[in-house]
Amino acid sequence: MIREFGAGVRTLLQGFGLWRTRPGLMALGLIPAVIAFLLLAAALIPLLLSLGSITEWITPFAAGWTEPWRSVLRGAVGIVVFIAALALAASVFSALALTIGDPFYERIWRAVETDLGGEPPADGGGFWTALGEGLRLVLLGLLIAVLVLLVGLIPIVGGVLGAVGGVVFTGRLLARELTGRAFDARNLTPLDRAALFAGSRARVLGFGVATQLCFLIPLGAVFAMPAAVAGSTMLARTMLDRATALPSGPHPSTSDPFSGIPSTGPV
């Protein structure tokens, strides 16, 4: 399991490798990421500035507590609220970036598919598919944020459990959504996709957690988004390759994405 988790992390690193082999193509992916980042920052900065008022609203029962206990409690609640907001922010950022930048990320996806051996039989969904999946990503991200907030309110261990749970659950969600284009292009059913994810749980989780941790770094989401799109395509191809080893595999085998991505020239 640990080895598979590490393989998922390496998949994202290989996605970053396209900055060396395809810098022009990857730079295109920065445009929607920057737009999404600015829109999200416009919401997160006011939240951060009003965190004190929010924590007071959540903990009215502590108004009569003596110091330092009141400040300790409200400080801990404020941290939990911000962690939950970051969990939701990752989902919202991805949804915005993927929807706004559908033409840009399609070029990255198609280039990786071609470099791995052959193009997929369809176009991967297009703008309306990206919009629908983006809305679903936001709703699921909201559910995760609420879960993180509730877990975070557990005394003593809640803060740690909420932070770890937020990274794990959001990472897994990001990995599933980012691989959607490759699976949409192959018209895979929900049952086919569920079978693919079931066979690579640890690898998917490793990729998703690594992506989410990059998103938590200041401006990390901007530079990581194009790499995440490229890496998720490699991840999807790996899962498809694995499935063909089974008699009921949903797709014929493709090349091994861990053999490297050769450069085929400038964009």
Side-chain angles (χ1 to χ4, degrees):
M1 180 176 178
I2 295 177
R3 187 175 182 179
E4 278 290 287
F5 186 92
V9 175
R10 291 197 303 274
T11 305
L12 178 62
L13 294 177
Q14 290 225 340
F16 275 106
L18 263 74
W19 278 107
R20 176 177 56 84
T21 60
R22 295 289 192 91
L25 182 64
M26 296 293 277
L28 288 176
L30 293 178
I31 298 174
V34 168
I35 296 173
F37 177 82
L38 293 175
L39 292 174
L40 202 56
L44 279 178
I45 291 175
L47 173 66
L48 184 60
L49 294 176
S50 60
L51 207 53
S53 300
I54 294 174
T55 55
E56 289 179 7
W57 177 76
I58 294 176
T59 59
F61 56 86
W65 289 17
T66 59
E67 295 292 353
W69 305 115
R70 180 174 58 198
S71 296
V72 169
L73 172 67
R74 288 179 169 171
V77 171
I79 292 173
V80 170
V81 170
F82 193 64
I83 290 172
L86 288 178
L88 176 60
S91 300
V92 174
F93 170 81
S94 299
L96 283 173
L98 290 173
T99 302
I100 296 171
D102 180 70
F104 302 99
Y105 294 132
E106 181 177 3
R107 294 186 64 178
I108 295 175
W109 162 73
R110 192 170 294 280
V112 174
E113 288 275 9
T114 302
D115 287 344
L116 291 176
E119 295 191 15
D123 62 2
F127 172 78
W128 292 110
T129 299
L131 179 60
E133 292 179 349
L135 292 175
R136 181 179 63 180
L137 182 57
V138 171
L139 291 176
L140 292 175
L142 181 60
L143 291 177
I144 292 174
V146 171
L147 177 62
V148 168
L149 181 60
L150 293 177
V151 171
L153 295 178
I154 298 174
I156 302 175
V157 298
V160 175
L161 291 178
V164 173
V167 171
V168 170
F169 290 129
T170 306
R172 185 172 181 271
L173 175 62
L174 289 177
R176 293 179 70 92
E177 292 300 320
L178 286 168
T179 52
R181 186 186 289 275
F183 295 151
D184 288 339
R186 292 166 173 83
N187 296 317
L188 296 184
T189 66
L191 287 177
D192 287 334
R193 301 183 194 211
L196 290 172
F197 284 115
S200 302
R201 286 192 181 95
R203 187 172 296 218
V204 171
L205 184 60
F207 175 83
V209 166
T211 301
Q212 171 66 354
L213 290 176
C214 286
F215 281 12
L216 295 178
I217 300 172
L219 294 179
V222 173
F223 294 96
M225 193 63 194
V229 172
S232 65
T233 306
M234 302 176 202
L235 178 63
R237 291 286 290 262
T238 298
M239 289 192 285
L240 289 165
D241 286 345
R242 285 183 163 189
T244 59
L246 302 175
S248 57
H251 193 273
S253 179
T254 57
S255 61
D256 179 10
F258 292 102
S259 61
I261 304 293
S263 174
T264 57
V267 179

